[in-house]
Amino acid sequence: MKKFEFLYHGSRFLEEILKPNQATGIGSAKDSLCAIYASQDRNFAIPFALSIMADKSNSCVWELSFEDGDPKIIIKTGKLDTSQVGYLYKVPKDAFEQIDEYQWVSYRPVKPIGDEIIDPKEYLHWIVKHEQKNNGNR
């Protein structure tokens, strides 16, 4: 098992202290906790630093996939705002508890160890716009 000393947290906002927020994940209950989420995998955290904005009907739904090696961000509703940078924080591992293969959570505020700016234009090759298919229903 690979050893690591810190985790990564992606955010659209620059903060001195990270605070728990209600997540709106579409998976299981562990994807919608009121917590700070982090991952030992940098590529898992980066998508959360991107500004994926709601569409005209105020809907924003996207998924993250690692099926073919490189991360794929499947945007089902909404769109990526390439004019807004995001932030990737390094956070202390000992402030978090692991909840699955990629995700760790903290229920208390956390002071980051460091941060870097994430330019969304550098990750355009990760974006897949979901095309809704007509399945023949009448």
Short mmCIF file of all heavy atoms in Angstrom, two decimals, residues 14 42 49 85-88 115-120 122-123:
data_model
loop_
_atom_site.label_atom_id
_atom_site.label_comp_id
_atom_site.label_asym_id
_atom_site.label_seq_id
_atom_site.Cartn_x
_atom_site.Cartn_y
_atom_site.Cartn_z
N LEU A 14 -10.94 30.21 -2.51
CA LEU A 14 -9.70 30.36 -1.74
C LEU A 14 -10.07 30.62 -0.29
O LEU A 14 -10.77 31.58 0.02
CB LEU A 14 -8.87 31.52 -2.31
CG LEU A 14 -7.52 31.76 -1.65
CD1 LEU A 14 -6.62 30.53 -1.76
CD2 LEU A 14 -6.83 32.97 -2.30
N ARG A 42 -4.62 12.96 -6.10
CA ARG A 42 -4.70 14.34 -6.60
C ARG A 42 -5.73 14.46 -7.72
O ARG A 42 -6.52 15.41 -7.75
CB ARG A 42 -3.31 14.74 -7.09
CG ARG A 42 -3.16 16.17 -7.52
CD ARG A 42 -1.68 16.44 -7.89
NE ARG A 42 -1.48 17.85 -8.14
CZ ARG A 42 -1.73 18.43 -9.29
NH1 ARG A 42 -2.17 17.74 -10.32
NH2 ARG A 42 -1.54 19.74 -9.43
N ALA A 49 -12.29 21.35 -7.81
CA ALA A 49 -11.77 22.71 -7.89
C ALA A 49 -12.28 23.44 -9.14
O ALA A 49 -12.07 24.64 -9.27
CB ALA A 49 -10.23 22.67 -7.90
N VAL A 85 -10.66 30.25 -11.92
CA VAL A 85 -9.70 29.28 -11.40
C VAL A 85 -10.27 28.65 -10.14
O VAL A 85 -11.19 29.18 -9.52
CB VAL A 85 -8.32 29.91 -11.10
CG1 VAL A 85 -7.69 30.47 -12.37
CG2 VAL A 85 -8.39 30.94 -10.00
N GLY A 86 -9.70 27.52 -9.76
CA GLY A 86 -10.04 26.85 -8.52
C GLY A 86 -8.77 26.62 -7.72
O GLY A 86 -7.68 27.07 -8.10
N TYR A 87 -8.91 25.88 -6.61
CA TYR A 87 -7.79 25.69 -5.71
C TYR A 87 -7.71 24.23 -5.28
O TYR A 87 -8.72 23.61 -4.96
CB TYR A 87 -7.94 26.60 -4.48
CG TYR A 87 -8.03 28.04 -4.92
CD1 TYR A 87 -9.26 28.62 -5.20
CD2 TYR A 87 -6.88 28.79 -5.14
CE1 TYR A 87 -9.35 29.92 -5.65
CE2 TYR A 87 -6.96 30.09 -5.59
CZ TYR A 87 -8.20 30.65 -5.86
OH TYR A 87 -8.28 31.93 -6.33
N LEU A 88 -6.49 23.72 -5.27
CA LEU A 88 -6.24 22.37 -4.78
C LEU A 88 -5.42 22.51 -3.50
O LEU A 88 -4.31 23.04 -3.52
CB LEU A 88 -5.48 21.54 -5.81
CG LEU A 88 -5.30 20.08 -5.44
CD1 LEU A 88 -6.64 19.36 -5.40
CD2 LEU A 88 -4.35 19.39 -6.40
N ASP A 115 -1.59 25.27 -0.90
CA ASP A 115 -2.58 25.25 -1.97
C ASP A 115 -1.92 25.60 -3.29
O ASP A 115 -0.80 26.12 -3.32
CB ASP A 115 -3.72 26.24 -1.69
CG ASP A 115 -3.26 27.68 -1.62
OD1 ASP A 115 -2.94 28.25 -2.68
OD2 ASP A 115 -3.21 28.23 -0.51
N GLU A 116 -2.59 25.25 -4.38
CA GLU A 116 -2.14 25.62 -5.71
C GLU A 116 -3.36 26.01 -6.54
O GLU A 116 -4.47 25.53 -6.29
CB GLU A 116 -1.37 24.50 -6.39
CG GLU A 116 -2.20 23.28 -6.73
CD GLU A 116 -1.40 22.17 -7.41
OE1 GLU A 116 -1.20 22.26 -8.64
OE2 GLU A 116 -1.01 21.23 -6.71
N ILE A 117 -3.15 26.89 -7.49
CA ILE A 117 -4.23 27.32 -8.37
C ILE A 117 -4.45 26.27 -9.45
O ILE A 117 -3.49 25.75 -10.03
CB ILE A 117 -3.89 28.69 -9.00
CG1 ILE A 117 -3.87 29.77 -7.91
CG2 ILE A 117 -4.88 29.04 -10.11
CD1 ILE A 117 -3.38 31.12 -8.38
N ILE A 118 -5.71 25.97 -9.70
CA ILE A 118 -6.10 25.04 -10.76
C ILE A 118 -6.75 25.84 -11.89
O ILE A 118 -7.79 26.46 -11.69
CB ILE A 118 -7.07 23.97 -10.23
CG1 ILE A 118 -6.42 23.12 -9.14
CG2 ILE A 118 -7.61 23.10 -11.36
CD1 ILE A 118 -5.21 22.31 -9.58
N ASP A 119 -6.10 25.83 -13.05
CA ASP A 119 -6.63 26.51 -14.23
C ASP A 119 -7.48 25.50 -15.00
O ASP A 119 -6.96 24.49 -15.48
CB ASP A 119 -5.48 27.01 -15.10
CG ASP A 119 -5.94 27.77 -16.33
OD1 ASP A 119 -7.13 27.70 -16.69
OD2 ASP A 119 -5.08 28.42 -16.96
N PRO A 120 -8.78 25.76 -15.14
CA PRO A 120 -9.65 24.78 -15.79
C PRO A 120 -9.25 24.48 -17.24
O PRO A 120 -9.51 23.38 -17.74
CB PRO A 120 -11.04 25.41 -15.72
CG PRO A 120 -10.79 26.86 -15.50
CD PRO A 120 -9.50 26.97 -14.75
N GLU A 122 -6.47 23.76 -18.35
CA GLU A 122 -5.51 22.65 -18.37
C GLU A 122 -6.18 21.28 -18.25
O GLU A 122 -5.51 20.26 -18.41
CB GLU A 122 -4.50 22.83 -17.24
CG GLU A 122 -3.61 24.04 -17.41
CD GLU A 122 -2.62 24.21 -16.26
OE1 GLU A 122 -2.32 23.21 -15.56
OE2 GLU A 122 -2.16 25.34 -16.05
N TYR A 123 -7.48 21.27 -17.96
CA TYR A 123 -8.18 20.00 -17.74
C TYR A 123 -9.33 19.79 -18.72
O TYR A 123 -10.17 18.91 -18.52
CB TYR A 123 -8.67 19.93 -16.28
CG TYR A 123 -7.50 19.99 -15.34
CD1 TYR A 123 -7.08 21.20 -14.80
CD2 TYR A 123 -6.75 18.85 -15.06
CE1 TYR A 123 -5.97 21.27 -13.98
CE2 TYR A 123 -5.64 18.91 -14.25
CZ TYR A 123 -5.25 20.12 -13.71
OH TYR A 123 -4.13 20.18 -12.91
#
